[in-house]
Amino acid sequence: MKREYDNYIFDLYGTLIDIHTDEEQPLLWEKMAEYLDEHFGAKYEPSALRKRYLEICKDEEDKLQAKNHARWPEIRIEDVWIRLIDEKREIICTESVTAEIKNDHAYAEDEIRALCIYFREESRDKLVVYDGVLETLDKLKKAGKGIYLLSNAQRVFTEKELEKAGLTKYFDDIFISSDKGIKKPQKEFLEQLINENTLISDNCVMIGNDLLSDVGVAFKNGIDSVFLNTYDYSDKKIEEELTELGIKGSKFMPLIVGDGDIRKIL
């Protein structure tokens, strides 16, 4: 590491946790259609469910962007599933059902949470902590460093995955994009973390595996960054992306860890 910092801000997926999900597999949507029918009485054909899910995700994102004017908005996935359930409830309601019942969206929070977690776990086939992560976080903690998480993610998914990975205890604060309505590389996402924790930018470093999101948001906020090449990008691709972002040749050029070994940030 070129220098020591007081505060270390980490990305999560692809940086601390190696994860793989597949939301396109037909079996997933068969299972989700069964789940919605069994638990909420919302009947969908699997292919129609996936199509409508994607449409509502896009619509929710467009509405949020119109509201907060962010270039990089982040929706709450719970709202998408609630809309999917509501649409089928409206279809099955008859004229004899009161408007009050028709418009009752007060699903129990734990029911929607369970639905979202089921979706995540059925789509996920890999969740492991990268080698060296626990060792690195332990060393930073023992050295009295501030440790923060800045993740483009859904809290309803991420909280449980952090616990499963044994990572929650290390963080002084956890920023998840679905809570804030914006995501990296939106400048304000990292800016909020810095301001709310009264951090000094010059004493912070952002560590992540994505040049646009992680290195990009650090650059926008004038803080140093480390790029962990966990997805084996070519040198040419890295150079092209840094040039495109306007970072190449600047004083905020990231430290590049070519093999993605997080232990090399120390």
Side-chain angles (χ1 to χ4, degrees):
M1 190 73 171
K2 58 184 177 181
R3 58 165 285 196
E4 188 173 322
Y5 298 87
D6 293 335
N7 302 293
Y8 292 74
I9 305 166
F10 291 93
D11 169 54
L12 180 58
Y13 300 113
T15 299
L16 304 178
I17 290 176
D18 188 6
I19 191 170
H20 182 262
T21 62
D22 182 1
E23 295 183 2
E24 296 183 8
Q25 52 177 309
L27 181 59
L28 170 64
W29 296 100
E30 290 175 17
K31 290 180 177 180
M32 293 313 301
E34 291 174 2
Y35 192 101
L36 290 183
D37 187 11
E38 179 181 350
H39 293 270
F40 298 95
K43 296 184 182 296
Y44 281 94
E45 289 298 322
S47 59
L49 175 59
R50 179 174 183 270
K51 180 175 183 292
R52 189 63 186 135
Y53 170 85
L54 294 173
E55 290 171 348
I56 294 177
C57 283
K58 179 63 167 60
D59 185 55
E60 287 289 314
E61 187 173 279
D62 289 346
K63 289 194 300 184
L64 179 58
Q65 190 168 44
K67 180 180 178 181
N68 67 12
H69 307 293
R71 183 178 178 186
W72 304 96
E74 181 72 284
I75 64 173
R76 293 175 70 254
I77 207 65
E78 298 97 313
D79 297 332
V80 175
W81 288 107
I82 288 172
R83 279 184 61 180
L84 283 163
I85 296 165
D86 279 347
E87 286 185 1
K88 286 301 179 181
R89 289 186 68 189
E90 289 171 4
I91 290 171
I92 64 172
C93 282
T94 65
E95 292 182 359
S96 62
V97 179
T98 66
E100 181 180 356
I101 294 175
K102 281 186 180 182
N103 297 323
D104 176 18
H105 306 312
Y107 305 108
E109 183 178 336
D110 58 349
E111 289 181 314
I112 298 301
R113 177 181 172 79
L115 164 62
C116 293
I117 290 174
Y118 179 79
F119 175 69
R120 177 67 159 192
E121 292 181 346
E122 289 298 324
S123 65
R124 190 185 68 217
D125 56 27
K126 184 178 186 181
L127 178 71
V128 296
V129 178
Y130 282 108
D131 289 343
V133 166
L134 298 180
E135 171 189 340
T136 300
L137 295 179
D138 273 330
K139 287 182 178 178
L140 290 174
K141 203 72 172 175
K142 288 174 181 176
K145 304 300 183 181
I147 304 175
Y148 300 88
L149 184 71
L150 188 76
S151 179
N152 287 356
Q154 293 291 321
R155 177 169 289 277
V156 71
F157 300 158
T158 300
E159 275 187 333
K160 188 173 180 181
E161 291 174 346
L162 281 172
E163 289 293 341
K164 183 179 178 67
L167 296 178
T168 308
K169 63 184 179 181
Y170 290 106
F171 298 109
D172 295 289
D173 201 357
I174 292 173
F175 267 51
I176 297 177
S177 56
S178 66
D179 293 339
K180 307 297 180 180
I182 52 176
K183 60 186 175 184
K184 296 174 290 184
Q186 190 78 32
K187 177 180 185 290
E188 291 79 6
F189 190 26
L190 175 55
E191 187 175 58
Q192 285 181 30
L193 186 150
I194 292 170
N195 291 340
E196 290 183 23
N197 289 281
T198 60
L199 306 182
I200 298 172
S201 297
D202 192 49
N203 293 330
C204 296
V205 62
M206 176 81 210
I207 301 105
N209 75 308
D210 189 283
L211 289 165
L212 173 63
S213 294
D214 302 315
V215 174
V217 79
F219 180 57
K220 289 177 180 178
N221 281 276
I223 73 170
D224 290 340
S225 62
V226 178
F227 172 65
L228 300 180
N229 191 16
T230 57
Y231 290 167
D232 198 26
Y233 290 161
S234 68
D235 291 342
K236 180 181 179 182
K237 180 174 176 59
I238 293 171
E239 185 171 338
E240 287 174 350
E241 290 200 17
L242 288 173
T243 301
E244 185 177 338
L245 290 168
I247 299 172
K248 189 169 176 59
S250 78
K251 70 175 185 176
F252 292 108
M253 270 288 289
L255 172 67
I256 297 173
V257 180
D259 62 2
D261 187 345
I262 197 171
R263 288 165 288 205
K264 293 181 179 177
I265 74 170
L266 298 178

